[in-house]
């Protein structure tokens, strides 16, 4: 299993540009989430999904869109990038079924470092 | 609603001495609690998880944490620090359904 994969690893955007951060998991997990990590802070939840076709907002959703058409993929879209969105973005997945590490345990991708100029 | 407070933003210890990283939580139900470690410019690695099976949880690399409901605490400890333990540590409470709340992190420095 590849686990949770994210692309790209690094990205530089200009203010106003749009882009999509990709996230995929091959563990058949029901839940997927996007977080951002800023210096001196922990991860903050942007959006999450409990299954294909179902998404909801987290703590800091403004400026981001998500959709989930398949169990495996959960892309994060920035429609008009702003310098305040410069951050490291992590995708995570977890299962509602008991697994080796139990339910609620999130598996994280390696992150995408985004800079908006 | 749930929240996590990591009581120390920075902890510095000498190699071979004990490590204590403090975490208090707030949750309206019996929580799942986690400690993750993040080395510089790396991703998140799960150290350990509490799920009510036992109040003392053993994790990887010699770390353990004790859940104290009366104190709403979940402090992380290690008997003897190693240079490779220098990293950022996050205490996390799970809200279920892929929603986790992170503390702001504790930076652990290990001096030779």
């Amino acid at each position: 299993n590849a686990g949770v994969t994210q692309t790209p690893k690094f990205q530089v955007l200009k203010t106003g540009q749009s882009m999509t951060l990709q996230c995929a998991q091959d563990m058949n997990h029901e839940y997927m989430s996007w977080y951002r990590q800023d210096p001196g802070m922990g991860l903050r939840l942007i959006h999450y999904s409990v299954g294909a076709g179902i998404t909801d907002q987290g703590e800091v959703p403004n400026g981001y869109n998500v959709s989930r058409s398949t169990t495996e993929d959960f892309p994060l879209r920035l429609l008009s990038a702003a310098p305040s969105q410069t951050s490291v973005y992590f995708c995570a997945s977890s299962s509602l079924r008991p697994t080796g590490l139990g339910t609620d345990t999130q598996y994280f991708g390696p992150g995408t470092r985004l800079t908006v100029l | 609603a749930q929240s996590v407070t990591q009581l120390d933003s920075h902890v510095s210890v000498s190699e071979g001495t004990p490590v204590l990283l403090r975490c208090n939580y707030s949750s309206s139900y019996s929580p799942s609690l986690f400690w993750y470690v993040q080395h510089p410019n790396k991703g998140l690695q799960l150290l350990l998880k509490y799920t009510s099976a036992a109040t003392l949880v053993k994790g990887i690399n010699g770390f353990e944490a004790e859940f104290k409901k009366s104190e709403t605490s979940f402090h992380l400890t290690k008997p003897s620090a190693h240079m490779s333990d220098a990293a950022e540590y996050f205490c996390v409470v799970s809200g279920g359904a892929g929603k986790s709340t992170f503390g702001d992190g504790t930076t652990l420095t290990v001096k030779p």
Side-chain angles (χ1 to χ4, degrees), chain B residues 63-99:
Chain B
F63 284 95
E64 61 182 35
E66 185 172 10
F67 174 74
K68 292 186 176 180
K69 185 175 181 178
S70 61
E71 300 176 10
T72 60
S73 68
F74 190 55
H75 300 337
L76 182 71
T77 61
K78 183 174 181 178
S80 176
H82 191 273
M83 295 297 291
S84 61
D85 294 327
E88 188 85 9
Y89 291 79
F90 293 100
C91 182
V92 180
V93 59
S94 172
K99 297 177 290 181

Side-chain angles (χ1 to χ4, degrees), chain A residues 31-33 35 37 40-43 45 48-50 90 94 101-110 113, chain B residues 32 34 36 38 41-44 46 49 51 88 90 92 94-105:
Chain A
Y31 305 141
M32 296 186 74
S33 311
Y35 296 86
Q37 182 179 27
M41 303 179 70
L43 278 66
L45 183 64
Y48 66 99
S49 169
V50 298
F90 288 97
S94 57
L101 292 175
T103 59
D104 283 346
T105 301
Q106 290 189 295
Y107 296 76
F108 285 87
R113 188 173 295 272
Chain B
S32 291
F34 306 80
Y36 284 86
Q38 185 180 35
N41 298 313
K42 298 291 186 183
L44 293 152
L46 179 67
K49 173 185 179 181
T51 56
E88 188 85 9
F90 293 100
V92 180
S94 172
K99 297 177 290 181
S100 292
T101 300
F102 281 69
D104 286 339

